[in-house]
Structures are given as C-alpha cells and as structure tokens.
Amino acid sequence: MRKKEFLKVLAERFPDLPEELIVRMSNKIIEQIISTLKDGGRVEIRGFGAFFYSTRKPRLLTNPRTNAVIEIPEKRIPRFKAGKSLSKRVNDES
C-alpha cells in the first residue's frame, strides 16, 4: 500500500475529518519519527513496533577497475522491529 492509498483509507474511515488535516497529521508523524532518529533516539509504538537505527562502521573498499582505495564513512541505517502484537495479528495467531 502506498501513502496515497493509505491516506484515502483514513479519509474514508474518518469522513468527518478534512482530508487536508489527515495529510498534515500523517506528514507530522513521519517527520517526528525521522527527527527523533536523526537526533539519535528511538521511537516505540506499543503493539506496533519500534523504529531505531544501527550504525555501519567506516570501512575501506578497493575499486577493482582502478585498484584505488575508497574510504566509506560511518553511516546510520534506519531499522524497524515489529512488536509481538503486530506479528501475531499478521500471522493470525490468537
């Protein structure tokens, strides 16, 4: 499901809310998750899951064509771990 489809489902589910408000609220939620991860934090939504990041260490790679050594800097990789409740519901467990 794409974001546009997701927003359409929300608009149908909550017809009394203006569509513009639904779009702004969803954008703010996503922006807050990104901001928290950027600041080194973790976002945990009980019953859904947790957004966090792991760090990939800096490393040296060799370009096989030129044999030049390239330094790859440290990098944060965003991650998501599903909560138990979400996993159970997806797998139809009681």
Side-chain angles (χ1 to χ4, degrees):
M1 176 180 282
R2 296 180 188 269
K3 183 178 177 182
K4 186 175 182 179
E5 296 164 336
F6 179 71
L7 294 174
K8 183 178 177 184
V9 169
L10 287 177
E12 290 171 357
R13 183 93 187 244
F14 302 102
D16 51 327
L17 291 178
E19 192 171 328
E20 181 183 318
L21 178 63
I22 292 171
V23 171
R24 284 194 353 237
M25 286 174 37
S26 66
N27 287 339
K28 286 292 182 188
I29 291 169
I30 293 169
E31 286 174 21
Q32 186 60 50
I33 291 170
I34 293 169
S35 175
T36 301
L37 290 175
K38 196 173 189 179
D39 292 341
R42 171 185 170 102
V43 177
E44 188 172 322
I45 303 169
R46 297 286 177 175
F48 183 69
F51 296 91
F52 57 98
Y53 71 87
S54 61
T55 304
R56 186 176 291 163
K57 295 179 182 178
R59 59 195 190 278
L60 298 175
L61 297 178
T62 304
N63 182 338
R65 193 175 289 181
T66 63
N67 286 332
V69 176
I70 303 167
E71 184 178 347
I72 306 297
E74 183 176 89
K75 185 176 184 180
R76 291 184 190 178
I77 309 297
R79 305 275 187 203
F80 174 77
K81 180 169 177 29
K84 287 181 184 180
S85 179
L86 176 63
S87 295
K88 284 181 180 180
R89 291 179 71 179
V90 167
N91 292 305
D92 292 326
E93 297 174 11
S94 298

